[in-house]
Structure formats: structure tokens, C-alpha cells
Amino acid sequence: MLLRQLYELNHFNIVDNPMDWREALRKGIEPLLADKSVEPEYADCLIKNVEKHGPYIVLLPGVAMPHAVEGAVGANREAISLMVTKTPVYFGEEHDPDTTATVFFTLSDVDAQSHLQNMQRLAMVLSNPEVVERLARIQTAEELLEIDALVGDE
């Protein structure tokens, strides 16, 4: 359901170009900028969080969840976007799976309740190793619909 929603809202991007982690966080919000879910300064909040707390946003090898604190500047409404990069993005040492990502689920939350709900929706997606593996290899937007069928009802 979540992946279908991301597809229908056009809240995804697939990126071929190599990027550093700051560029990746900026690129990851582009679908949310397009529909005004966030403002450009939201990327600054995401970057400051990683600068302050380190690569805590890498939830599992290959998957990051950029997000900011409740009431972050530039967050207009609850939203999630998905970005898949063809080249790994390093938040720490190169080739360290604990600080490297190619799949990014960027959250925009306006309060603690929406953050918790988004985390629960993502947990459903990320709890299936096959889904995570297929997301990392995605080539087209339509594949989101195929992968969504693996997740089941939310």
C-alpha cells in the first residue's frame, strides 16, 4: 500500500548520478518539493541532523530514513518519498554497510503522531528482506507496484 501510494503521488525518484550524502538528502526531497509537502530549507534540517548525530538514519544496510524533528523548518505536511540511487551513498567509511545506503525513505512529519505512523508503515515494508532487495535494484517506477504486492495489506 505504501509503495503504491508513493507511485500514485509521484513521491519517488531514481538517480543514476553519484552523490555525496548531503547531495543525496537534497535530491531525496525533490518529489516532496514538487507538491509543496516541504520547502527547500527542509533539506538543511536533514543535513544538520546527520552532522549532529552521525549516520543514525541508516536503519539497515543499504536503507536510510532521513527525517527531522517535530516542527522542523520547511515541513508543511506529513509525507514520505522514496529515492533509489544506482551508486551507493556513504555517510561514513566507504563500503561500510552500516553507513551506506542506496534506498532512501525521506519522512516529513508535522507532529509525533504522524512520525510514529510513518515509522510503522515503513516497518511493514522494511520487514520483508525480498522487498528491500528488490527496491535496491529498481529500474522503473512501475516496479513499485509489483513490489508493493509483496508487502501485503498495511
Side-chain angles (χ1 to χ4, degrees):
M1 191 74 143
L2 174 61
L3 299 178
R4 174 175 292 283
Q5 183 180 32
L6 296 177
Y7 174 84
E8 291 170 354
L9 293 172
N10 203 29
H11 278 189
F12 63 87
N13 53 0
I14 301 170
V15 181
D16 291 326
N17 304 354
M19 300 175 279
D20 69 26
W21 67 266
R22 286 174 181 86
E23 292 170 308
L25 297 182
R26 290 190 188 286
K27 190 78 172 167
I29 70 164
E30 286 181 0
L32 302 179
L33 287 169
D35 73 356
K36 308 263 190 260
S37 293
V38 301
E39 301 297 328
E41 53 271 16
Y42 187 65
D44 297 330
C45 291
L46 299 177
I47 290 167
K48 285 177 186 170
N49 278 349
V50 174
E51 289 173 344
K52 182 176 181 179
H53 302 291
Y56 76 102
I57 63 170
V58 180
L59 300 179
L60 53 129
V63 180
M65 186 191 70
H67 60 282
V69 296
E70 179 180 338
V73 173
N76 294 330
R77 65 177 161 264
E78 175 186 347
I80 300 175
S81 69
L82 167 65
M83 178 176 72
V84 178
T85 63
K86 301 295 183 194
T87 306
V89 174
Y90 304 106
F91 289 86
E93 293 296 316
E94 195 167 318
H95 304 297
D96 177 356
D98 293 330
T99 61
T100 302
T102 58
V103 176
F104 293 77
F105 284 98
T106 302
L107 275 59
S108 167
D109 299 310
V110 293
D111 57 38
Q113 181 66 27
S114 66
H115 184 71
L116 180 59
Q117 289 171 339
N118 281 335
M119 293 285 289
Q120 290 171 334
R121 295 178 75 200
L122 276 178
M124 177 83 66
V125 171
L126 299 177
S127 66
N128 184 326
E130 182 181 355
V131 168
V132 174
E133 183 181 317
R134 288 194 55 190
L135 283 171
R137 295 188 325 252
I138 198 168
Q139 299 289 317
T140 67
E142 289 72 25
E143 288 176 73
L144 286 174
L145 301 176
E146 296 169 18
I147 298 169
D148 187 68
L150 298 173
V151 176
D153 292 334
E154 294 181 21

